[in-house]
Amino acid sequence: MDSRSDSRPRSTARRSPWRAGLLAVLIAVIGIIAMPAAVQAHTDLASSTPVDGAVLDTPPEAITLTFNEDLLAGSSSIALNDMTGTTVLSGPVAAVGPSITVPWPAGLPGGTYQAAYRVVSADGHPVTGAITFTVAAALGEASTGPSAEISAEASPESLTESSAVPTTSAAAEPVV
């Protein structure tokens, strides 16, 4: 009988580290599953004015990008690029809560534009992205005047004035 009583404590002692390890793994898995969604979420673009892919008859008054959480003050910028990839406006912008806004530059012609942004969320994570939209006519131009239609296969670097096909349509397809 003495040997039986000796073997049970040894057997229990051998299983203790294994059980402790299994318990630690189970606690970690439960912790990850139970973690609130807000902790796992990242800052995303929630809305924009104009909306991505929009075709506008006239230029917008401003470009506004709104994110799903507040942004870190002093860390946001927008670069407005034309369809050739030339930057026509670039610089820092003030974040107001979750939004950044830049006024539309006066005198820009109609065409396809990309508003590229870089923001830093309140928790310190940088976020970059871009929206693209088309302005069919610049201020002062008739909205029924000619505009350039751009092929979806064309890249901004490959476009020149001679590669655009003039049409009488008031809208142009955005570059994808």
Side-chain angles (χ1 to χ4, degrees):
M1 281 205 156
D2 289 332
S3 66
R4 275 189 168 175
S5 64
D6 289 344
S7 68
R8 286 188 184 176
R10 282 187 208 144
S11 177
T12 305
R14 288 181 191 153
R15 290 185 189 171
S16 264
W18 181 80
R19 286 183 181 169
L22 180 60
L23 182 61
V25 169
L26 288 173
I27 290 171
V29 169
I30 290 170
I32 291 170
I33 292 170
M35 190 180 303
V39 173
Q40 296 177 4
H42 296 287
T43 300
D44 289 318
L45 181 64
S47 65
S48 66
T49 303
V51 298
D52 190 26
V55 177
L56 309 172
D57 290 334
T58 59
E61 290 182 24
I63 299 168
T64 300
L65 306 173
T66 302
F67 297 84
N68 63 338
E69 62 183 48
D70 286 350
L71 303 172
L72 191 62
S75 63
S76 301
S77 64
I78 294 179
L80 183 63
N81 306 305
D82 66 14
M83 66 184 174
T84 65
T86 302
T87 301
V88 294
L89 170 75
S90 178
V93 294
V96 178
S99 298
I100 56 175
T101 300
V102 63
W104 184 259
L108 287 181
T112 298
Y113 291 92
Q114 176 192 60
Y117 59 85
R118 183 186 187 283
V119 299
V120 177
S121 63
D123 65 2
H125 288 97
V127 178
T128 59
I131 63 165
T132 303
F133 56 93
T134 300
V135 177
L139 288 175
E141 292 180 28
S143 63
T144 58
S147 64
E149 184 170 323
I150 302 168
S151 167
E153 293 83 34
S155 69
E157 295 79 24
S158 68
L159 294 177
T160 63
E161 287 182 28
S162 62
S163 67
V165 179
T167 67
T168 55
S169 167
E173 288 183 33
V175 175
V176 179

